[in-house]
Amino acid sequence: MKKLLEEILDKCRIYTKNGKVANYIPELEKADPEKLGICVVTDDGGVYCAGDSEIRFSVQSVVKPVILLQALLDSGEVEVRKLVGVESTGKPFDAFNYSDQALKREHINPMINAGAIALCTLIKGNTYEEKFSRLLNLVRKLAGNPQMGVDESVYMSEKTTGNKNRALAYMLKAYRLIDGNVEDVVDCYFKACSIKADCVDLAKIALVFANKGILPDGESAFDKKYAGYINAVLMTCGMYDGSGEFALNVGVPAKSGVGGGIMAIVPKRMGIGIYSPALDGKGNSCAGIKTLEMLSKELELSIF
Ligand code: GLN
């Protein structure tokens, strides 16, 4: 497996040239666009890494399925469905123009910014700090890595320049989808995006979703019906307006982030973590997608 991963990375490194690192916040612009790393964690406990798999980066939107999971665990499916829909928007992850008239829950899904921001309100906790700390603990538990924490400089960069996300949150409040202090809600979202991980962490989290909530030690972290819910939403919305193409060419549930990470879930078989920060116009990692395409063909990963 390691040899196969190395061969695929050698073929895909060229695609890092097709993209650009995210620059919507200054801190992300510092990433090296030529990096490419992968980790595959298999159901039988194998951990196979290649390339720049040890670099730590901010998870950004890769945290969204875990926000959805925490909201489901804390508030249940009925409350989640009252706040966000499950249809893919076909629009960029930070789009505003849901409709000319009103913002409704069916216009958003948990994998775009507005949906994830809304779901932060369904996490239990007396304060947003408490809500965030419960979310971070869930991320650590799924990754089996108690050391995971926030990249403070990315967080500060998000907080000082994340005005579009703030505006989205105020829209949610204007249309009564959320209430409470908007600044506190977005602060929780900014911190969640700033959690630092490497490819191994992402692969391990993916494996738990692939195994329907069962951790490597056999303990159940969450009900399998939630894994079904989250994997289905990831399949149709996880790669934003690139989800259809990804379903055709890779064929597994996955989530990308503008930090360059992709977490891919191969049901019952493996979890995959990728890092390559040069992004396409949709905010997905260029070389990361190519790597997953090749790996999917080689190992017949597509669920279709
Ligand atoms: N922090 C990013 C944002 O809010 C997350 C988006 C992403 O990774 N696509 O814009």
Side-chain angles (χ1 to χ4, degrees), residues 24 59-62 64 93-94 113 158 165 189-190 193 240 255-259 282-283:
Y24 78 100
V59 292
Q60 299 295 337
S61 287
V62 181
K64 285 173 176 157
F93 60 84
D94 56 353
N113 291 11
E158 297 268 357
N165 285 319
Y189 173 75
F190 290 146
C193 290
Y240 315 116
K255 187 74 208 81
S256 58
V258 291
K282 295 176 175 173

Side-chain angles (χ1 to χ4, degrees), residues 5 23-25 34 39-40 55 122 141 164 166 176 179 186 197-198 200 215 259 294:
L5 296 179
N23 61 3
Y24 78 100
I25 62 165
E34 296 194 348
C39 175
V40 171
I55 295 180
L122 292 188
K141 182 173 180 179
K164 196 159 183 193
R166 240 175 226 114
R176 307 225 165 113
D179 53 22
V186 287
D198 61 16
V200 184
L215 296 169
M294 270 187 209

Side-chain angles (χ1 to χ4, degrees), residues 18-70:
N18 291 358
K20 287 199 185 98
V21 297
N23 61 3
Y24 78 100
I25 62 165
E27 203 56 32
L28 291 181
E29 233 176 335
K30 295 180 183 164
D32 177 349
E34 296 194 348
K35 298 292 182 206
L36 174 61
I38 185 167
C39 175
V40 171
V41 180
T42 54
D43 188 35
D44 56 7
V47 180
Y48 309 93
C49 294
D52 303 301
S53 62
E54 279 156 29
I55 295 180
R56 300 194 73 72
F57 53 92
S58 58
V59 292
Q60 299 295 337
S61 287
V62 181
V63 77
K64 285 173 176 157
V66 189
I67 295 179
L68 171 59
L69 174 61
Q70 188 74 73

